[in-house]
């Protein structure tokens, strides 16, 4: 195996040198881009230590200290560093490097996405552009001059404000940008290409007019409006909620097709995966619209939480990501149904983050040990990180939380700080002791709460006892009791009790007593998912029914239904013959008849997913779990057939609208379709919906239903869909995904064939994720096939991706390394493939880190 060593949070040291200004001149060329980097450098403190700069995958052309060009004997160069000794207190360092953007398939540093040059520097990509102190606590003021051919690259963009431009000989031109805000190098960005440009402006609360520019591939202007509208909503929201105003005169967003993740918050110049920019009624689903808005908001919010105040070191990543996810979630909740938005967040935590905690890569939201930083842009750092911020919000209340945010910016604007600094601001502003709460930052794993209760009819008292448990995690960390905020609502069947509130669990076991309780209540625990924990309380069906109907909090009503379903799915895993009680169907009939909004009803009707269930069960037999979910689903479908048909029909309309009600209607309609797909007449229904659809939500739901139920019309609708959408990259991604989700024993053959489809390219992360990822993540049935064909398929693709794009490979290996969730047979089969991968001789650091953890 290749040798790479980890880094530890405890080893943090302030840098020996600071770099205060950076002047870059970048002469773009496909294979020989020349970067001249002129830096003002000075020592931090008095010392004689050498300067060691990071640099990889480049050719060093020259090094100059002040006016002296160094000879090779005056510096030390190896694969990843450049070291220069005997330096003065302060000096100008000029470094020239040459890079090859076209060969850069890892999409880190400067690369070419189709005909566009673009950069991705977070976490450690700047070191592929020039030699630098590539760490977030080195902050400099950047000036960037870009030179390129004028015809092919009419737009030359970088951070900050445009200060100069002009023509050069040979049809070349240049543009110079200056960013007045000191920033870490991970926020540096450059883009060059030819685009269509959507222009707008936003007037900030203090009256400054900010230019807004959205750059998209030629011909895509009509699909970029939603992103622009979302940006303006985000800017307004951040002023209204947090009093945070944009700071530069211009905000630019560029959409590119080749991108490793969703988007990047580079100062003043966001680079986006086109998937999170482009959307129009015909080609984007309601979820796509929602996600575009959320990602636009997320990146915009980073301008304060991330850019103005950044991270001291990468272990602090959740400082900016957890907080910014929380902010984008609050924004989405304000723009849409807050309950439905919250349900979406919670499902991700329960299904995926809990699985991460239970797997070999378990880590605290502030990791302590990292080999490859890109491996830590995780559900734990992001989603659990957001839950931790949310708990502080719950504990402190909205006003005190906002006072904490205000103090955080007063203290740290322009600095690179730590999670401790953030919590200190929260604690000081609210006068609240958060010392025990801080263990949430250092402790990995999902806590489990065991809850028991006792009702005394004589004294009319009710007691709740809550015990915290902290199961061992793969990192073998010592565990502490945490400060866990638990939202409790006591519900009675006659619905006349109004008690509850926020309990603060801090000890191993604690008991709370409620007085004046005249009938035995049912406790709705962990309302609105007030903490990212698992909960054990012995509810019976009747309790859950009471909660489904009477809980005042919508979230609790939904959650009770999920618990009811989950209980039966667990039983069905062990006993497929189990007789299901009519009450389940009756409870859902009540849901269908209620006057709740349709988006919420849709959520209430959806069964817990395979992943959510897998995270809640030990040693899952995947086949048995898939079967259990489908037995319950079929039972509900059969019992409620006529109601589903009636609801479905009542929601079929020829008019297309995009308001909340219309979106809710489509959601509910398609949940009905999903149930009806199990019954007679499914094929006709689906075909009909496919043919009638005047929007992507309905069209996609039709082909997905055909795939998941292996309906006769499947091949036909897929051919027709591809014919209609060929050439539309984002829609064809959906088509590839649906192929991968086909619930048919020949699916591996199908997707193997698609690897050579003219529109497939493994180099494009969206495509790779669409085909390979959708299979491994969403086709639980055939990915876990007993013949191991699913695992082998993933192995084959990972060997290719390891060499092409390690970050993508490292994401897609997730379902394999989580083998411990499954029964022994499956574990063994998965391990065989992991062992094979670990033998690769060019193993990337990204995969190596995960394989080492998994096979330990
Ligand atoms: N900060 C970036 C993620 C960078 C990922 C690097 N592998 C996007 C975001 O979270 O907003
Ligand atoms: Zn982010």
């Amino acid at each position: 195996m290749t040798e790479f060593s980890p880094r530890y949070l405890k080893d943090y040291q302030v840098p020996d040198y600071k770099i205060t200004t950076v002047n870059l001149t970048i002469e773009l060329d496909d294979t020989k881009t020349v970067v001249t980097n002129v830096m003002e450098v000075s020592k931090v403190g008095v010392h004689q230590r050498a300067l060691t700069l990071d640099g990889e995958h480049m050719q060093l052309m020259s090094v100059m200290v002040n006016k002296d060009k160094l000879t090779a004997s005056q510096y030390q160069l190896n694969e990843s560093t450049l070291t220069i000794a005997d330096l003065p207190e302060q000096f100008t360092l000029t470094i020239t490097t040459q890079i090859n953007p076209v060969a850069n398939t890892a999409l880190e540093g400067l690369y070419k996405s189709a005909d566009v040059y673009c950069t991705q520097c977070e976490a450690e990509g700047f070191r592929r552009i020039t030699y630098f102190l590539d760490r977030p606590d080195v902050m400099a003021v950047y000036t960037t001059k870009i030179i390129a051919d004028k015809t092919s690259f009419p737009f030359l963009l970088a951070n900050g404000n445009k200060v100069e431009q002009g023509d050069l000989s040979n049809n070349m031109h240049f543009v110079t940008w200056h960013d007045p805000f000191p920033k870490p190098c991970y926020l540096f960005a450059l883009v060059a290409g030819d685009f269509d440009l959507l222009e707008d402006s936003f007037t900030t609360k203090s009256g400054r007019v900010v230019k807004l520019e959205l750059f998209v591939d030629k011909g895509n202007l009509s699909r970029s409006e939603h992103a622009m509208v979302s940006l303006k909503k985000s800017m307004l929201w951040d002023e209204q909620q947090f009093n945070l105003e944009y700071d530069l005169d211009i905000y630019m967003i560029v959409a590119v097709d080749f991108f490793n993740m969703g988007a990047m918050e580079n100062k003043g110049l966001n680079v986006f995966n086109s998937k999170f920019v482009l959307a129009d009624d015909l080609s984007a689903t309601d979820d796509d619209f929602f996600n575009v808005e959320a990602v636009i908001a997320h990146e915009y919010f980073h301008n304060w939480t991330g850019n103005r105040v950044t991270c001291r070191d990468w272990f602090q990543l959740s400082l900016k990501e957890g907080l910014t996810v929380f902010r984008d979630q609050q924004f989405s909740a304000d723009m849409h149904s807050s309950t439905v938005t919250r349900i979406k967040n919670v499902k991700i935590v329960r299904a995926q983050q809990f699985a991460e905690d239970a797997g070999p890569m378990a880590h605290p939201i502030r990791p302590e040990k990292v080999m490859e930083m890109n491996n830590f842009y995780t559900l734990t750092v992001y989603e659990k990180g957001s839950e931790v911020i949310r708990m502080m919000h719950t504990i402190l209340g909205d006003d005190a939380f906002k006072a904490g945010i205000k103090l955080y910016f007063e203290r740290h604007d322009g600095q690179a700080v730590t999670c401790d600094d953030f919590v200190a601001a929260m604690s000081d502003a609210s006068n609240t002791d958060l010392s025990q709460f801080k263990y949430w930052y250092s402790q990995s794993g999902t806590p489990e709460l065991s809850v028991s209760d006792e009702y005394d009819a004589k004294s009319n008292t009710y007691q709740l006892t809550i015990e915290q448990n902290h199961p061992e995690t793969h990192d073998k960390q010592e565990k502490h009791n945490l400060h866990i905020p638990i939202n409790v609502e006591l519900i009675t069947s006659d619905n006349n009790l109004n008690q509850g509130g926020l309990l603060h669990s801090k000890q191993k076991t604690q008991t709370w007593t409620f007085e004046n309780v005249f009938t035995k209540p049912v406790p709705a625990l962990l309302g609105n998912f007030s903490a990212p924990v698992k909960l054990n309380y012995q509810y019976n069906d009747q309790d859950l029914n009471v909660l489904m109907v009477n809980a005042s909090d919508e979230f609790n009503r939904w959650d009770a239904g999920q618990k009811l379903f989950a209980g039966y799915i667990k039983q069905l895993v062990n006993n497929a013959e189990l007789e299901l009680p009519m009450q389940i169907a009756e409870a859902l009939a009540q849901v269908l008849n209620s006057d709740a909004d349709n988006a919420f009803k849709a959520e209430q009707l959806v069964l817990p997913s395979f992943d959510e269930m897998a995270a809640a069960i030990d040693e899952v037999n995947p086949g048995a779990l898939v079967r259990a979910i489908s037995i319950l689903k079929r039972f509900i479908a059969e019992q409620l057939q006529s109601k589903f048909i009636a609801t479905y029909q009542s929601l079929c309309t020829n008019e297309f609208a995009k308001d909340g009600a219309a979106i809710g209607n489509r959601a509910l309609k398609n949940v009905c379709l999903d149930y009806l797909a199990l019954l007679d007449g499914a094929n006709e229904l689906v075909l009909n919906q496919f043919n009638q659809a005047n929007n992507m939500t309905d069209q996609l739901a039709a082909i997905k239903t055909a795939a998941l139920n292996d309906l006769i019309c499947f091949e036909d609708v897929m051919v027709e869909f591809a014919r209609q959408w060929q050439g539309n990259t984002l829609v064809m991604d959906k088509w590839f995904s649906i192929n991968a989700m086909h619930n048919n024993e020949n699916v591996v053959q199908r997707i193997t064939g698609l690897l050579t489809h003219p529109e497939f390219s493994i180099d494009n992360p969206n495509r790779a994720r669409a085909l390979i990822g959708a299979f491994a993540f969403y086709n639980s049935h055939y990915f876990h096939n007993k013949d191991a064909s699913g695992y082998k398929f993933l192995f084959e693709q990972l060997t290719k991706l390891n060499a092409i794009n390690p970050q993508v490979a490292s994401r897609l290996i997730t379902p394999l390394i989580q083998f411990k969730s499954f029964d022994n047979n499956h574990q063994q089969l998965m391990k065989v493939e992991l062992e094979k991968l670990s033998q690769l001789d060019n193993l990337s650091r990204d995969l190596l880190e995960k394989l080492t953890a998994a096979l330990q």
Side-chain angles (χ1 to χ4, degrees):
M1 270 199 194
T2 339
E3 282 298 319
F4 297 106
S5 42
R7 287 170 284 172
Y8 296 87
L9 167 60
K10 64 173 166 45
D11 295 340
Y12 175 82
Q13 282 184 335
V14 294
D16 284 337
Y17 288 81
K18 62 180 180 211
I19 302 174
T20 46
T21 65
V22 176
N23 256 284
L24 293 165
T25 303
I26 302 179
E27 298 162 75
L28 290 170
D29 181 88
D30 272 4
T31 53
K32 292 191 175 79
T33 288
V34 176
V35 178
T36 308
N37 173 9
V38 184
M39 294 167 270
E40 291 307 319
V41 187
S42 53
K43 286 186 180 168
V44 177
V46 182
H47 63 78
Q48 294 308 319
R49 289 186 290 276
L51 168 65
T52 298
L53 300 171
D54 307 294
E56 294 169 355
H57 303 273
M58 306 176 286
Q59 214 178 313
L60 178 63
M61 309 301 281
S62 72
V63 185
M64 246 165 69
V65 173
N66 294 323
K67 298 250 148 39
D68 305 325
K69 186 168 178 207
L70 303 192
T71 59
S73 62
Q74 290 173 291
Y75 55 80
Q76 263 187 311
L77 185 66
N78 68 28
E79 282 233 306
S80 58
T81 56
L82 166 66
T83 303
I84 313 168
D86 301 324
L87 287 162
E89 292 304 297
Q90 203 177 332
F91 53 97
T92 305
L93 177 62
T94 305
I95 294 183
T96 309
T97 49
Q98 185 181 301
I99 44 189
N100 183 345
V102 165
N104 183 354
T105 57
L107 314 185
E108 226 191 328
L110 175 69
Y111 65 93
K112 233 172 156 197
S113 162
D115 295 327
V116 176
Y117 288 106
C118 66
T119 55
Q120 172 55 38
C121 294
E122 187 178 2
E124 297 173 330
F126 194 67
R127 65 184 65 185
R128 294 172 181 231
I129 296 175
T130 183
Y131 285 90
F132 204 71
L133 288 173
D134 190 354
R135 44 188 285 171
D137 57 352
V138 172
M139 295 166 84
V141 170
Y142 285 68
T143 305
T144 309
K145 178 174 181 178
I146 311 169
I147 302 169
D149 179 78
K150 194 170 181 172
T151 313
S152 307
F153 307 100
F155 293 99
L156 304 177
L157 315 173
N159 318 81
N161 300 310
K162 194 189 274 190
V163 288
E164 209 190 340
Q165 61 184 344
D167 289 338
L168 302 166
S169 55
N170 293 329
N171 198 42
M172 304 292 272
H173 70 146
F174 77 93
V175 178
T176 305
W177 295 82
H178 177 75
D179 179 3
F181 293 96
K183 64 168 176 287
C185 63
Y186 82 85
L187 290 172
F188 169 80
L190 167 159
V191 173
D194 192 5
F195 302 98
D196 273 348
L197 169 60
L198 182 67
E199 289 178 282
D200 208 324
S201 70
F202 179 82
T203 305
T204 68
K205 65 185 167 67
S206 68
R208 279 187 316 104
V209 178
V210 178
K211 273 210 293 186
L212 308 178
E213 298 190 341
L214 188 48
F215 297 86
V216 295
D217 276 355
K218 293 251 163 210
N220 279 327
L221 259 198
S222 63
R223 299 165 71 203
S224 57
E225 254 149 51
H226 176 66
M228 183 62 91
V229 171
S230 303
L231 174 60
K232 289 188 286 183
K233 284 185 184 168
S234 311
M235 296 178 88
L236 185 63
W237 187 89
D238 220 15
E239 290 187 350
Q240 291 173 340
Q241 292 298 315
F242 290 102
N243 206 21
L244 296 173
E245 194 176 330
Y246 186 63
D247 47 11
L248 287 163
D249 299 333
I250 181 167
Y251 191 86
M252 295 175 282
I253 293 176
V254 186
V256 299
D257 286 337
F258 284 63
F259 208 64
N260 279 344
M261 63 267 163
M264 178 63 212
E265 71 264 25
N266 315 301
K267 183 77 188 187
L269 176 57
N270 288 184
V271 179
F272 267 65
N273 186 328
S274 53
K275 178 179 162 71
F276 294 109
V277 172
L278 303 178
D280 65 16
D281 293 349
L282 279 180
S283 69
T285 63
D286 295 330
D287 283 342
D288 292 331
F289 276 95
F290 182 96
N291 293 336
V292 166
E293 183 187 81
V295 179
I296 292 270
H298 180 97
E299 306 312 332
Y300 175 71
F301 297 155
H302 267 315
N303 189 56
W304 278 93
T305 50
N307 301 4
R308 286 289 286 254
V309 181
T310 195
C311 302
R312 184 194 73 173
D313 55 76
W314 287 120
F315 299 99
Q316 316 294 330
L317 181 60
S318 203
L319 172 80
K320 73 177 179 81
E321 294 305 345
L323 178 55
T324 305
V325 171
F326 174 71
R327 276 151 52 67
D328 85 55
Q329 290 179 349
Q330 295 294 83
F331 167 77
S332 295
D334 284 353
M335 298 296 124
H336 307 276
S337 151
S338 60
T339 309
V340 173
T341 304
R342 184 66 186 134
I343 290 171
K344 286 186 207 235
N345 310 150
V346 171
K347 281 181 167 176
I348 294 174
V349 176
R350 282 187 183 155
Q352 297 164 44
Q353 197 280 321
F354 283 5
E356 195 162 89
D357 267 341
M361 286 295 287
H363 55 279
I365 64 166
R366 182 183 56 210
E368 270 146 26
K369 173 187 168 192
V370 164
M371 189 186 284
E372 169 51 58
M373 190 53 215
N374 287 320
N375 279 341
F376 288 83
Y377 289 76
T378 57
L379 292 148
T380 301
V381 167
Y382 276 63
E383 305 298 323
K384 184 176 178 184
S386 164
E387 294 300 321
V388 170
I389 301 290
R390 182 180 296 273
M391 286 189 284
M392 276 191 264
H393 183 262
T394 304
I395 291 169
L396 305 181
D398 193 53
D399 289 347
F401 180 85
K402 283 181 176 151
I405 294 280
K406 185 163 172 271
L407 184 61
Y408 172 64
F409 288 121
E410 278 164 16
R411 285 182 178 171
H412 301 300
D413 188 11
Q415 300 174 4
V417 305
T418 63
C419 297
D420 286 341
D421 293 321
F422 180 82
V423 179
M426 283 292 154
S427 168
D428 293 348
S430 62
N431 235 322
T432 308
D433 178 6
L434 294 171
S435 47
Q436 186 185 4
F437 183 84
K438 276 172 66 172
Y439 284 119
W440 280 106
Y441 281 91
S442 54
Q443 188 155 306
S444 59
T446 308
E448 296 187 9
L449 299 179
S450 297
V451 184
S452 58
D453 59 352
E454 214 172 312
Y455 177 64
D456 181 3
K458 267 192 233 130
S459 59
N460 297 322
T461 55
Y462 175 73
Q463 285 196 323
L464 262 183
T465 300
I466 303 185
E467 181 185 298
Q468 296 192 12
N469 291 297
H470 302 281
E472 189 184 68
T473 42
H474 190 268
D475 52 9
K476 296 274 183 315
Q477 230 191 8
E478 187 203 335
K479 304 293 180 195
H480 301 266
N481 288 323
L482 295 168
H483 176 176
I484 306 180
I486 305 171
N487 205 318
V488 173
E489 219 193 324
L490 300 184
I491 311 291
T492 51
S493 48
D494 53 1
N495 204 11
N496 67 357
L497 185 66
N498 197 0
Q499 278 204 50
L502 192 66
L503 310 182
H504 297 264
S505 165
K506 295 183 174 177
Q507 295 153 23
K508 171 82 182 159
T509 310
Q510 258 170 287
T511 299
W512 287 265
T513 306
F514 298 83
E515 313 277 352
N516 301 320
V517 180
F518 300 104
T519 36
K520 183 177 191 303
V522 182
L525 298 158
L526 217 59
N528 209 30
F529 199 56
S530 60
V533 302
K534 293 185 181 175
L535 182 86
N536 300 310
Y537 172 84
Q538 292 302 318
Y539 287 107
N540 60 37
D541 288 7
Q542 213 191 332
D543 293 341
L544 292 172
N545 247 305
V546 168
L547 295 184
M548 280 177 80
V549 179
N550 289 341
S552 67
D553 184 317
E554 270 195 337
F555 181 91
N556 290 341
R557 297 213 287 275
W558 168 77
D559 206 23
Q562 296 291 299
K563 289 194 170 85
L564 182 74
F565 301 142
Y568 282 102
I569 293 170
K570 278 187 194 169
Q571 293 181 53
L572 286 163
V573 167
N574 300 321
N575 173 16
E577 307 299 318
L578 180 81
E579 200 163 321
L580 292 166
M582 286 303 293
Q583 282 95 307
I584 303 178
E586 283 160 14
L588 288 181
Q590 264 182 327
V591 166
L592 277 167
N593 291 339
S594 77
D595 49 17
D597 73 62
N598 284 341
F600 179 58
K601 281 189 197 176
E603 289 297 347
Q604 286 181 291
L605 291 168
V606 175
L607 301 182
S609 65
F610 178 91
D611 289 340
E612 274 170 272
M613 291 308 305
I617 299 175
D618 293 332
E619 294 177 23
V620 179
N621 171 342
L625 178 54
V626 169
R627 188 184 53 202
I629 296 173
S630 77
I631 293 172
L632 177 59
K633 197 162 160 188
R634 181 176 294 275
F635 171 78
I636 295 169
E638 282 166 355
Q639 299 304 321
L640 296 180
Q641 181 171 18
S642 55
K643 276 203 182 311
F644 282 134
I645 293 176
T647 308
Y648 180 83
Q649 283 171 348
S650 75
L651 294 169
C652 286
T653 144
N654 294 326
E655 267 127 64
F656 176 74
K658 232 174 30 202
D659 53 282
I663 292 169
N665 291 347
R666 275 191 289 279
L668 181 57
K669 178 176 94 176
N670 287 316
V671 171
C672 293
L673 180 72
D674 188 42
Y675 279 106
L676 292 168
L678 296 163
L679 307 175
D680 286 350
N683 196 57
E684 207 190 323
L685 198 64
V686 167
L687 199 52
N688 206 32
Q689 172 157 329
F690 180 79
N691 290 328
Q692 306 284 315
N694 60 3
N695 63 84
M696 184 50 69
T697 304
D698 286 345
Q699 202 182 15
L700 189 69
I703 61 169
K704 187 170 171 187
T705 309
L708 296 182
N709 298 284
D710 196 16
L711 299 180
I712 301 164
C713 65
F714 175 70
E715 300 293 351
D716 290 348
V717 292
M718 289 300 273
V719 168
E720 174 53 24
F721 189 91
R723 191 200 57 75
Q724 190 184 339
W725 292 109
Q726 61 176 313
N728 182 321
T729 324
L730 295 177
V731 181
M732 285 307 284
D733 283 338
K734 299 182 196 301
W735 181 82
F736 278 103
S737 293
I738 300 290
N739 273 289
M741 282 149 66
H742 191 202
N743 189 5
N744 179 288
E745 59 187 4
N746 292 324
V747 64
V748 172
Q749 225 172 306
R750 169 183 292 273
I751 56 181
T752 305
L754 286 173
L755 293 169
T756 55
H757 187 283
E759 288 203 42
F760 184 79
S761 144
I762 199 166
D763 298 353
N764 182 320
N766 285 358
R767 270 290 135 89
R769 286 185 285 251
L771 187 67
I772 305 159
F775 174 68
F777 284 86
Y778 306 124
N779 198 333
S780 316
H781 191 175
Y782 288 105
F783 175 63
H784 294 291
N785 203 352
K786 282 195 286 276
D787 64 6
S789 55
Y791 304 152
K792 289 190 178 126
F793 173 81
L794 185 56
F795 163 79
E796 298 287 337
Q797 306 320 312
L798 289 176
T799 58
K800 292 184 246 173
L801 283 166
N802 171 60
I804 297 169
N805 188 329
Q807 277 188 59
V808 171
S810 189
R811 292 258 159 198
L812 297 186
I813 201 176
T814 306
L816 267 187
I817 61 168
Q818 292 178 344
F819 59 84
K820 283 235 171 70
S821 311
F822 298 97
D823 61 26
N824 194 40
N825 287 343
H826 288 88
Q827 287 197 21
Q828 296 314 322
L829 297 173
M830 292 163 102
K831 270 199 243 171
V832 170
E833 304 309 314
L834 293 173
E835 295 282 1
K836 277 164 38 191
L837 277 170
S838 72
Q839 301 307 316
L840 293 181
D841 50 17
N842 61 343
L843 200 57
S844 60
R845 181 160 52 195
D846 312 57
L847 283 188
L848 174 69
E849 180 168 40
K850 293 194 174 177
L851 286 165
T852 311
L855 295 171
Q856 219 169 50

